[in-house]
Each structure stands twice: as C-alpha cells, then as structure tokens.
Amino acid sequence: MKAKEIIFIHGWLGDSTVWRGTISATSRIGNIHLIDLPPMINMSTYRDAVLRLIEEERMNKAYLIGWSLGALVALQVVQSAPEKVGGLVLVGGTGKFINSDTYSLGQPTHAVASMKQRFAQDPERTREEFFKQMFSREEIAAGLDRKVASEIFAGMRGWDVREAIAGLDYLLECDMLASLSLISQPTLLVHGNRDRICPLKGAEYLCERISDSQLLIIQNAGHIPFLTNPSSFNTHLGEWLVSH
C-alpha cells in the first residue's frame, strides 16, 4: 500500500512551524508536506497554493490537515478538486467564520472588522490579544499559554500588517457552508470544547452535514488542542489516519 500524502495547513498569523510536534507523530504514517500560505491576493490564493503543491509533488490523493483558517482552505480545496483529496482533518475548524442572517455559530462581523482596525493601528498588541484568546482558562491556569508562546509562537515568522488584514478579509468573506453536503471524503473534526475563536457549535454543524465525519472533542481545550494537548491529539490523529 502506498504511503499517505499528508499536507498540513496552518491558520491566521501562523506558519508551518506550528505543526512541529504533530509532524514527528505522523511521519511514520505517510509523506509529510508543509506549506506556508502566501500573502492573499484574492479568495483563491490560499486554495491555489495547496493545489499547486499537490500538482508539483504529483500526489494522487492528499490528506489535508487544516487548522482554523487552514480548515477553510482545506474545504475550498476539496470543493474545487475532490478527486485530489483522500480525507480531511479539520482542527478548530468552521465552514464560515462570521455570523450572517442565516448562520449564528461564528463571530460577529463587527468583531472581525474591529480587529482589522486594531491590527492596522497596533499590530503587536492585537497579535498578543489574539494569541491569548486561543487558550482556555484551564490552559492558562496550567501555564500552557506561556509554554506555547516561548516554544512555538516565538519561532513563527511575523505576518506584516497588509498580509494579516488580507487574512482577516478572507475570514470575513469565505463561506463554505453550501458545499458541506457534497463532501464524501472521510473527515475528522478535532475541537476544544472551550474554543473561543471558532466555537464548538460550528464544528457540530460541520459534523451534521459532512456525511462521513466524526467529531473528537478535547475537554478544557481552546483553539489549539494540537499544541496544548499534543499527546491526546497525536494519538487520535495517528489512529484515524491509519484506519482510513
């Protein structure tokens, strides 16, 4: 049996280094491919970067592991090229980041618009505020925010102001809800029950609409369970990849 081709897709303000611990736990299962998303030019920029990687590496079918914004990118890829995707793992994911008249499981539009303004005025403080929101109260009490900040976040490349604001525009505009019922690939949803950025109910919405899906809820975890609960996350991810 051929080894799985596994692509890791990071989220807003992140880069491929966030997957460092997960890579070591999955490298025995398949061929690992990392991508650093380029600055967004239009709503297809992130998707097209992943599709180019699949083409350049001559992958028959790729397993996409997307976190946060990266989960939306993974959904875009499977919508555009379902024949190229063998499975999905959406971590802290959502099908639509903001609320609308018919969807109320995301963030208020005005909150994201306000973040755009704050980032333009004071990017460092806004970045720190966002990173703090990734953690649950329990994780902060355990000192995991400081641990992850020093071991992971400190080593990430910094998004410049224009790139970060463009990423927020992507989150404001991307809506993958209508295509969820068309996804036939096996899908694992991993979500912290204390996620303040992409609420758990959004993941439950995905699970109800993607036919071959299962939801793994990590208790007392925030938006980055693969960094704050790496042992549990890596074990479940590895088992799922092997079984599929």
Side-chain angles (χ1 to χ4, degrees), residues 141-189:
L144 291 175
D145 56 330
R146 297 187 298 275
K147 184 176 187 293
V148 171
S150 63
E151 294 181 1
I152 305 296
F153 291 165
M156 292 192 305
R157 72 172 182 86
W159 290 35
D160 63 31
V161 172
R162 181 179 298 181
E163 182 180 6
I165 290 176
L168 290 173
D169 285 333
Y170 175 87
L171 292 174
L172 282 167
E173 296 178 31
C174 191
D175 182 352
M176 302 306 300
L177 300 182
S179 66
L180 298 178
S181 62
L182 302 177
I183 297 173
S184 59
Q185 288 79 355
T187 301
L188 174 64
L189 306 162

Side-chain angles (χ1 to χ4, degrees), residues 38-86:
M40 193 191 83
I41 299 172
N42 55 51
M43 290 299 294
S44 300
T45 300
Y46 300 148
R47 178 203 68 189
D48 290 349
V50 177
L51 289 173
R52 276 195 304 273
L53 177 61
I54 292 173
E55 184 69 21
E56 290 169 358
E57 296 295 328
R58 299 181 180 180
M59 302 180 209
N60 183 29
K61 285 186 180 292
Y63 283 72
L64 307 179
I65 302 179
W67 163 54
S68 196
L69 177 149
L72 284 169
V73 176
L75 290 172
Q76 277 190 306
V77 172
V78 75
Q79 178 194 47
S80 299
E83 74 283 359
K84 294 291 187 181
V85 179

Side-chain angles (χ1 to χ4, degrees), residues 215-236:
L215 174 59
L216 169 64
I217 300 174
I218 298 185
Q219 297 299 319
N220 300 322
H223 192 54
I224 45 175
F226 60 100
L227 293 179
T228 57
N229 291 263
S231 179
S232 176
F233 177 86
N234 291 338
T235 297
H236 284 98

